[in-house]
Amino acid sequence: MRRTDRFLISRKPFAIDLSTVTIETTHQHDAYWLSGNCQAVWFRRKNGTTYACLGSLNLWAHWLREEPDVSSPEAILGNDLDSRYGGDPHGRWDGERYWGSQKPFEQALHLTLLEPMLANYPAMPEGYDGWWTFHTEGAR
């Protein structure tokens, strides 16, 4: 992943709660393997509608030849990670409709974050770091 200050929805950026970044490192077959996750928020657009989303992001890297830097959340995210499937949404808000948990308390917690997030698009909520993307410079 790489961090960028410039928000481009086409690069599918994530704002990450750095306190939730976890990673497990193993070494086998002369390579390093990373597996972890974090909590994140993100915006997506579909059919002209912008959505504010919250959920988890799986992080992994396989067959790394050099030992990865896992000294801090930022260092972990700065490794050559993959998450080709994107975030796993737990809640989503489009300004009219909520999708996510069926538990009223969880819905209320999600909407406490998602409603102001969408209203302040493209700003990220307080307590999150970003924007982080899996896209590389020059990639489309």
Side-chain angles (χ1 to χ4, degrees):
M1 288 186 93
R2 69 180 182 85
R3 189 179 187 285
T4 179
D5 292 326
R6 187 171 173 212
F7 176 85
L8 293 172
I9 199 164
S10 62
R11 303 260 180 176
K12 297 183 176 178
F14 296 90
I16 295 175
D17 179 347
L18 294 177
S19 71
T20 66
V21 175
T22 63
I23 202 78
E24 182 178 309
T25 306
T26 57
H27 184 259
Q28 57 187 1
H29 310 293
D30 293 324
Y32 293 91
W33 303 67
L34 300 176
S35 179
N37 61 45
C38 64
Q39 296 300 306
V41 294
W42 60 94
F43 294 105
R44 292 299 181 262
R45 190 171 291 139
K46 183 175 179 181
N47 298 326
T49 301
T50 301
Y51 297 86
C53 307
L54 64 83
S56 58
L57 184 60
N58 291 319
L59 307 168
W60 71 90
H62 299 158
W63 295 103
L64 297 175
R65 294 298 175 195
E66 294 185 23
E67 186 172 4
D69 183 356
V70 294
S71 62
S72 70
E74 294 89 347
I76 291 168
L77 295 171
N79 286 291
D80 188 18
L81 299 172
D82 193 353
S83 190
R84 68 189 69 177
Y85 306 113
D88 180 20
H90 301 161
R92 182 173 60 220
W93 173 248
D94 69 1
E96 283 186 37
R97 291 172 296 282
Y98 168 82
W99 172 92
S101 175
Q102 296 303 306
K103 298 176 184 175
F105 181 73
E106 282 184 17
Q107 287 179 3
L109 285 176
H110 290 177
L111 289 170
T112 299
L113 176 66
L114 296 173
E115 286 178 328
M117 185 176 151
L118 186 62
N120 294 306
Y121 172 85
M124 72 186 85
E126 191 172 317
Y128 287 83
D129 184 76
W131 294 100
W132 292 88
T133 181
F134 293 98
H135 285 259
T136 57
E137 288 294 330
R140 293 200 179 246

